[in-house]
Amino acid sequence: MPSRTGILLLVSGPSGSGKTTLCRRLADDQEAHYSTSCTTRPARPGEVDGHDYFFLSREAFDAKIAAGDFLEHATVHGNSYGTLKSEVLQYIDRGIDVVMDIDVQGAAQVRACTDPQIRNALVDLFVMPATDEELAARLTGRKTDSPEIIALRLKNAIEEMAHWHKYQYRLISATREEDYTRFRSLLIAERLRVARIIQSSTNPAQP
Ligand code: 5GP
C-alpha cells in the first residue's frame, strides 16, 4: 500500500528549452517514470522505439484514438503525438511519480481532464529560455533538423511561449545544473502535499 498517490509532473516549453533533458534526467535518477509518448513522426537518428517514443504509423495511431487509449493527443509540427493512459494512471495509482513532456495543446487537455485521480496528481510547469534570441540560438544549434523544420519550430516556439501564464510553475532556463536543481526541488516539494497522502488507521503518519 503506497503512503501517497503519485504526482503527474507535466512539462511544456518550446523546442530548445531543454525540457526533454530535464525530464529524462529525472527519470534516469529514478525520481519519476518518464511517460513515453506515441508519435507518427519518423524517428531521428539515434532515437529508439519504445524509449524516446513509440513510433507508430498513422493507422496504428488512429486505432489507439478509436480505442480510447490516449489521455491526450495533439498535432504538433504536422505530426500526431499522444500520451497513453497506460503510461500514467497505473503509476500514479501505485504512488510512483510520472514526468511527461508534452506541448501546450496536450497540457490544456490534461488540465481540462475531470478524472479526480489526474486532477489530484497534476503539477504543470513551463520551461522557457530568457529571450527569443536565446531560443533562436538554441534551435539553430540542433543540427538534426533541416532549415525549413528549424524555421517552423522557431515560429511555433514563439507562439508556444505565449502560453506560459496558464501553468502553475515557470522555469526560465539558466545553466543545466541550476535548471535541474530547481526542477527536482519542485518535485520534492510537491511530495509533501497533504492532498496526496493516503491515510490509514494502521499507518497514520508515515513520512
Ligand atoms: P519532438 O518531435 O521534438 O520530440 O517533439 C515535438 C513536440 O511534441 C514537443 O513540444 C513535445 O513536448 C511534444 N510532445 C511530445 N510528446 C507529446 C505527447 O504525447 N502529447 C503532446 N500533446 N505533445 C507531445
Side-chain angles (χ1 to χ4, degrees), residues 11-15 19-20 34-39 41-42 44 47 52-53 70 72-77 79-84 100-107 109 142 145 153 160:
V11 184
S12 300
S15 305
K19 65 185 190 302
T20 309
Y34 184 93
S35 164
T36 302
S37 297
C38 296
T39 184
R41 95 151 153 71
R44 295 192 186 112
E47 283 184 329
D52 296 287
Y53 283 101
F70 288 125
E72 62 72 37
H73 60 90
T75 304
V76 187
H77 314 318
N79 289 300
S80 294
Y81 293 80
T83 305
L84 292 169
M100 69 196 304
D101 163 3
I102 70 172
D103 89 313
V104 294
Q105 306 167 74
Q109 291 175 44
R142 186 149 84 185
D145 295 318
R153 280 174 188 268
E160 280 213 350

